[in-house]
Amino acid sequence: MKGVGKFGEVLAGEKGKVSYDALAERLDKIIHSGSQKKAITDFVCRELRKIPHYSWVGIYEVQGGDLVLTSWSGPSATQHVRIPVGQGICGAAVTAKDTIVVPDVNADPRYLACFLNTASEIVVPVLKGGEAVAEIDIDSDQRNAFAAGDRRFLASVAEELATLL
Ligand code: SME
């Protein structure tokens, strides 16, 4: 992939061309816009899903011992709107306070199935004062879809979201 700007990738796919840097700039603007929190997280999910290999995007917030789905964008709704922190890839990322990439969800016993088409997943925690307060959960229909560039890009989005959540 071509090296351009901070996050270094421009992808082309069925959703058209997407510049990670232009996207990061749009997300920064909206996150710091002062708009209502839910409107912002909805927007962030919609914008992230413009990246061709991001099939479903959700933001979960930590509430007590559960992860609660606050915003999502994708072809269909998930039944996992509340996930105990001890369960799933989602729970594992919060417990680890670190990004988890699962290249093949069918090979990971932690995986909580949502969509038939999901082949890989990335979960990026939003850390605040050393604690996970939320997370970005992304499913891809492609196996092994998430690379180092996605990790870096999404870690930076999570860092911005920490100022809001
Ligand atoms: N697959 C996740 C559950 C959430 S859905 O992907 C929307 C997990 O294993 O935690």
Side-chain angles (χ1 to χ4, degrees):
M1 280 186 246
K2 269 210 175 126
V4 270
K6 193 169 159 203
F7 298 109
E9 281 131 315
V10 175
L11 299 177
E14 59 184 20
K15 296 178 191 168
K17 270 194 177 172
V18 177
S19 153
Y20 279 36
D21 290 287
L23 190 52
E25 211 171 290
R26 274 206 303 283
L27 292 178
D28 278 5
K29 264 191 200 144
I30 186 79
I31 288 169
H32 301 290
S33 66
S35 297
Q36 201 200 355
K37 192 171 92 173
K38 171 80 164 86
I40 293 174
T41 52
D42 284 353
F43 180 92
V44 168
C45 290
R46 272 201 310 276
E47 285 296 308
L48 286 177
R49 211 168 72 84
K50 290 181 179 168
I51 294 175
H53 57 292
Y54 293 10
S55 309
W56 188 94
V57 178
I59 293 176
Y60 286 88
E61 286 188 50
V62 179
Q63 288 180 15
D66 288 339
L67 285 156
V68 178
L69 185 65
T70 46
S71 291
W72 63 275
S73 173
S76 47
T78 174
Q79 78 268 33
H80 297 297
V81 293
R82 184 177 279 270
I83 301 172
V85 164
Q87 290 182 17
I89 313 294
C90 285
V94 159
T95 306
K97 297 180 191 172
D98 203 2
T99 295
I100 296 187
V101 175
V102 178
D104 176 3
V105 291
N106 295 314
D108 195 316
R110 298 170 299 180
Y111 175 63
L112 293 174
C114 285
F115 315 111
L116 277 178
N117 290 343
T118 297
S120 59
E121 182 165 4
I122 184 169
V123 183
V124 182
V126 176
L127 301 175
K128 201 168 181 172
E131 291 305 314
V133 294
E135 65 183 23
I136 306 168
D137 173 24
I138 302 178
D139 286 27
S140 180
D141 291 352
Q142 298 167 31
R143 212 190 290 185
N144 204 8
F146 303 104
D150 295 289
R151 266 181 187 264
R152 271 188 290 122
F153 169 66
L154 292 169
S156 130
V157 175
E159 216 177 292
E160 295 304 322
L161 276 176
T163 65
L164 173 80
L165 301 175

